[in-house]
Amino acid sequence: MKILVSLSLLAMFNLNAQDLKKGEELYKQCIACHGVKGEGNPAQKAPKLAGQHDWYIEKQLNDMKVGKIRQNAAMVPFLNKLSPQDMKDLALYISKL
Amino acid sequence: MKILVSLSLLAMFNLNAQDLKKGEELYKQCIACHGVKGEGNPAQKAPKLAGQHDWYIEKQLNDMKVGKIRQNAAMVPFLNKLSPQDMKDLALYISKL
């Protein structure tokens, strides 16, 4: 029973953990506009992302995907491919740029 | 006539120029949430602003004031006091943080 509880807790933890390596992989599709170092690009209307708080990046990605309080048509094709976990991983990687 | 045209051009230029000093003054009302150095604060749900591109800051301030493609109730009391020129000045100051 104890082992089962421990395993369940471990699974829950891993489910919510942020995966930096996965974030780095996911970020490759952001580079064309936001830059390798997340520096942004006025020509693409892409803001600087480097060093932004991870909770903020995650919230904005989610808000733009839902499209109620924040609408960004250019981001939609990318957002549609991101799961909630992807957003967490991506946010962590961006916060470390 | 030449002088008149020159003066008019000068006035137009000044009207659109960004005033760093004015931006610094305006930023004082942002410090409580966004921090002296624009570092942001999770407890206030305030993102990092430091070093963001000025055109992006200006656009977001304007978008949040208009409230169509971006809604942020917490920012509205501040946005209502900002003119388009204030937003330009503030954006310049923030981009230098």
Side-chain angles (χ1 to χ4, degrees), chain A residues 22-41 44 46-47 49 57 61 75 78-79 81-82 86 89-91 93-94 97:
Chain A
K22 183 79 193 300
E24 185 176 6
E25 191 58 37
L26 288 164
Y27 187 72
K28 287 177 182 170
Q29 63 194 306
C30 316
I31 290 175
C33 293
H34 291 280
V36 175
K37 294 183 177 175
E39 65 273 25
N41 184 350
Q44 305 276 8
L49 300 176
I57 292 287
L61 287 171
M75 282 288 291
F78 302 98
L79 296 163
K81 290 184 286 180
L82 297 178
D86 288 342
D89 298 341
L90 203 42
Y93 180 73
I94 289 169
L97 282 175

Side-chain angles (χ1 to χ4, degrees), chain B residues 60-77:
Chain B
Q60 297 311 307
L61 288 170
N62 190 61
D63 285 352
M64 286 188 285
K65 187 171 183 179
V66 172
K68 279 198 173 175
I69 62 168
R70 186 162 188 186
Q71 290 156 30
N72 187 324
M75 282 289 290
V76 168

Side-chain angles (χ1 to χ4, degrees), chain A residues 6-27:
Chain A
S6 300
L7 282 175
S8 301
L9 284 171
L10 196 66
M12 277 173 65
F13 177 77
N14 279 335
L15 205 67
N16 292 311
Q18 290 167 292
D19 185 333
L20 191 62
K21 272 280 165 201
K22 183 79 193 300
E24 185 176 6
E25 191 58 37
L26 288 164
Y27 187 72

Side-chain angles (χ1 to χ4, degrees), chain A residues 39-42 45-53 55-56 60 68-71, chain B residues 39-42 45-53 55-56 60 68-71:
Chain A
E39 65 273 25
N41 184 350
K45 298 182 184 174
K48 178 180 169 181
L49 300 176
Q52 184 54 268
H53 298 275
W55 54 268
Y56 182 76
Q60 297 311 307
K68 278 198 174 175
I69 63 168
R70 186 162 188 185
Q71 289 156 31
Chain B
E39 65 272 25
N41 184 349
K45 298 182 185 174
K48 178 179 170 181
L49 300 177
Q52 184 54 267
H53 299 275
W55 54 269
Y56 182 76
Q60 297 311 307
K68 279 198 173 175
I69 62 168
R70 186 162 188 186
Q71 290 156 30

